[in-house]
Amino acid sequence: MTAPASSEPVASADAPIAAPAKPTVWRKLFRSPSVVIGLAIVLVMVFIGLIAPLIAPADPTAINPGARNRVPMATSTMRLDDGTRATVTHYMGTDTLGRDVFSRVVYGARVSIFIGVAVALLSISIGLVIGMIAGYIRWLDGIIMRIMDGLMAIPAILLAIAVVSLSRAGIVSVIIAIVVPEVPRVVRLVRSVVLSVREEPYVEAAVVSGTPTVKLVLRHILPNTVAPLIVQGTFICASAILVEAILSFLGIGIPPDIPTWGNIMAEGRQLFRIFPHNILYPGIFLALTVLAVNMLGDGLRDTLDPKMEKRG
């Protein structure tokens, strides 16, 4: 007696085995330790800046001569606007004017991170437009790139100092001063991407078929610049935060009445040996933020760039 035939299909030994599905971009990003750690620290710094009014024990600009140069965790009595007095714990000590360093540091996160993000967005926007023009319109390429080479020949910090010196000190002038030396780097990046993409067969086919230039650029060329620009934007943001601190430390950046990490360190450098907390704490916040943004940029580069991606 024969066994009944099974209704289930029998897999052939010669049948091809389906390849496992490739992980999505988001999964690859969150598998990168650099992206996870860098993004976590950046988000913490942004959160601290947003809730600064809630966690700051005192007004960052309030001067209290009776509490000058207090060590961390010291307490002092401050007079409030309504005439009452309150005891304040200075978690990071006070500066030479009696201002609470912790309050100035958390409020300084707002200004420093805002400048970094603003510089990154402006540099990418301006550099993207100029780079697209230079890469696609050949007769303008030489003129634009010679101007960019001239700007890049000047050290970025010296160019920023020169721009700030020509205008009034303030957040807007500092942003412009940092954007100017960053634009040429973005232009060169976008131009190289455009020159490589325009030689692709699908772009040449679109040109032969009579695709309008604007449509060709927006559909085929612009999407290829997104990944490298995201990576470049993170490095620009980190560089902008650092340059702003340098300008403020030199006394030519943000006015002293606006708390930034550079201003706090600049005001505490004279008594650094006696009261190092005036430079130590804002320096730690600055170093962590710049390190986190650079780690995020490295992780994005390794994940989004196929040439840098490591496969086991």
Side-chain angles (χ1 to χ4, degrees), residues 50 250 298:
L50 292 176
L250 295 175
D298 287 336

Side-chain angles (χ1 to χ4, degrees), residues 107-123 170-179 182 233 236-248 253-255 258-263:
Y107 271 92
R110 287 181 161 189
V111 180
S112 298
I113 295 176
F114 170 76
I115 289 177
V117 174
V119 169
L121 293 177
L122 286 175
S123 301
I171 295 179
V172 176
S173 61
V174 169
I175 291 176
I176 295 174
I178 304 175
V179 166
E182 293 292 346
I236 292 175
C237 179
S239 176
I241 294 173
L242 197 58
V243 172
E244 181 276 323
I246 294 173
L247 293 175
S248 297
I254 306 297
I258 301 176
T260 68
W261 293 332
N263 278 341

Side-chain angles (χ1 to χ4, degrees), residues 286-309:
L286 175 63
L288 277 177
T289 304
V290 174
L291 176 63
V293 177
N294 281 326
M295 289 179 61
L296 180 60
D298 287 336
L300 290 174
R301 180 192 59 192
D302 295 342
T303 305
L304 299 178
D305 189 353
K307 297 179 181 179
M308 299 295 297
E309 185 180 3

Side-chain angles (χ1 to χ4, degrees), residues 53-276:
L54 302 178
I55 62 177
D59 185 350
T61 60
I63 297 175
N64 186 8
R68 293 182 299 174
N69 294 322
R70 295 291 178 88
V71 296
M73 301 307 297
T75 59
S76 66
T77 303
M78 298 185 64
R79 186 173 182 177
L80 304 180
D81 295 335
D82 56 2
T84 60
R85 292 185 174 273
T87 301
V88 178
T89 300
H90 305 287
Y91 303 108
M92 297 181 180
T94 59
D95 59 10
T96 55
L97 298 178
R99 295 173 297 190
D100 183 66
V101 175
F102 178 75
S103 300
R104 293 179 62 78
V105 167
V106 295
Y107 271 92
R110 287 181 161 189
V111 180
S112 298
I113 295 176
F114 170 76
I115 289 177
V117 174
V119 169
L121 293 177
L122 286 175
S123 301
I124 289 175
S125 301
I126 298 172
L128 176 62
V129 175
I130 299 176
M132 296 281 283
I133 295 174
Y136 199 80
I137 304 177
R138 297 196 175 185
W139 65 273
L140 283 176
D141 185 20
I143 300 174
I144 293 175
M145 294 315 298
R146 297 299 75 78
I147 297 175
M148 297 298 111
D149 291 341
L151 291 175
M152 292 187 68
I154 306 173
I157 187 63
L158 295 181
L159 187 58
I161 291 174
V163 174
V164 171
S165 301
L166 296 175
S167 60
R168 296 177 56 187
I171 295 179
V172 176
S173 61
V174 169
I175 291 176
I176 295 174
I178 304 175
V179 166
V180 171
E182 293 292 346
V183 167
R185 295 174 175 82
V186 180
V187 172
R188 292 177 67 90
L189 174 64
V190 174
R191 173 182 174 270
S192 64
V193 173
V194 173
L195 290 178
S196 62
V197 172
R198 63 180 297 172
E199 303 298 331
E200 295 291 335
Y202 64 89
V203 176
E204 295 179 353
V207 174
V208 172
S209 63
T211 304
T213 303
V214 176
K215 186 177 181 180
L216 177 66
V217 170
L218 295 178
R219 176 173 293 184
H220 298 291
I221 297 180
L222 183 61
N224 288 278
T225 64
V226 173
L229 282 179
I230 291 176
V231 177
Q232 186 69 16
T234 58
F235 294 130
I236 292 175
C237 179
S239 176
I241 294 173
L242 197 58
V243 172
E244 181 276 323
I246 294 173
L247 293 175
S248 297
F249 189 82
L250 295 175
I252 57 176
I254 306 297
D257 58 324
I258 301 176
T260 68
W261 293 332
N263 278 341
I264 301 170
M265 291 188 291
E267 293 166 359
R269 61 185 173 182
Q270 296 180 353
L271 299 176
F272 173 68
R273 293 186 178 181
I274 304 174
F275 304 106

Side-chain angles (χ1 to χ4, degrees), residues 23-39:
T24 62
V25 176
W26 292 108
R27 286 187 178 182
K28 290 191 290 184
L29 284 176
F30 286 104
R31 286 179 183 177
S32 172
S34 297
V35 173
V36 174
I37 297 174
L39 182 61

